[in-house]
Amino acid sequence: MELRISRGSPQGCQVRFLLDYLAQLDADDPVFGSDNDLGRLGIMGWSFGGGTAAEACRMEDQLKAAVLLDAYLGSAPVLLRIGLLKPFLSMNADGLLADNTTLFNKGTRDAYLLSIKGSSHDGFTDNAWIINPTPASRRQALAMNA
């Protein structure tokens, strides 16, 4: 199996690599292949991965929507300038809310922006259940999961 890698941003290359790999599996793999609708994919990411997800969704036609969990968007200036012209959901703590609000304000299709009161950046991980869980952190996690 030969893999092709597209040029572009480092984040875009990583996601393009995965999309190409999925396409090859779909075409060549007897177990994984043939049953996938690779024209209707979404992407999700947290922190820097949220910025990667948003930028990849902007750049890749195959990606139809994004879920951004307290996304760091500072490494995606083009995205912040022109916006994400696809549906997205952005859930945020207070720290990274400004750039995510900028992205939301430029949204043109089914954009949702949520701020989870009292949450922290690492609250968007499993830490709410594992590391020093509190009733408040668990309520925040339940709200995010819902």
Side-chain angles (χ1 to χ4, degrees), residues 6 29-30 39 41 55 76 79 82 90 100 104 110 116 130 132-133:
S6 302
D29 190 278
L41 296 174
E55 181 66 0
L79 177 75
I82 66 171
S90 179
N100 284 274
F104 172 76
D110 299 325
I116 309 298
I130 300 168
N132 298 321

Side-chain angles (χ1 to χ4, degrees), residues 84-106:
L84 180 55
L85 306 178
K86 296 177 184 176
F88 69 93
L89 165 65
S90 179
M91 291 194 290
N92 302 277
D94 292 334
L96 297 175
L97 188 56
D99 279 350
N100 284 274
T101 300
T102 297
L103 184 63
F104 172 76
N105 288 337
K106 293 177 187 268

Side-chain angles (χ1 to χ4, degrees), residues 11 17 32 51:
Q11 302 96 330
F17 175 85
F32 184 80

Side-chain angles (χ1 to χ4, degrees), residues 3-136:
L3 297 175
R4 302 169 304 281
I5 299 176
S6 302
R7 298 192 184 272
S9 70
Q11 302 96 330
C13 285
Q14 293 165 356
V15 173
R16 180 75 258 154
F17 175 85
L18 291 173
L19 293 173
D20 287 347
Y21 186 66
L22 285 173
Q24 287 182 356
L25 284 175
D26 196 55
D28 300 338
D29 190 278
V31 175
F32 184 80
S34 301
D35 292 333
N36 305 294
D37 187 351
L38 299 180
R40 294 174 32 128
L41 296 174
I43 189 167
M44 180 171 121
W46 168 69
S47 194
F48 188 78
T52 299
E55 181 66 0
C57 192
R58 180 185 71 80
M59 294 172 50
E60 296 292 341
D61 290 338
Q62 230 175 325
L63 297 172
K64 303 302 183 192
V67 175
L68 314 174
L69 303 176
D70 212 25
Y72 171 73
L73 302 175
S75 62
V78 174
L79 177 75
L80 287 172
R81 189 176 73 249
I82 66 171
L84 180 55
L85 306 178
K86 296 177 184 176
F88 69 93
L89 165 65
S90 179
M91 291 194 290
N92 302 277
D94 292 334
L96 297 175
L97 188 56
D99 279 350
N100 284 274
T101 300
T102 297
L103 184 63
F104 172 76
N105 288 337
K106 293 177 187 268
T108 60
R109 298 199 45 218
D110 299 325
Y112 299 90
L113 177 68
L114 302 170
S115 177
I116 309 298
K117 182 179 180 181
S119 64
S120 62
H121 187 63
D122 67 340
F124 289 84
T125 68
D126 289 340
N127 288 351
W129 301 100
I130 300 168
I131 300 173
N132 298 321
T134 66

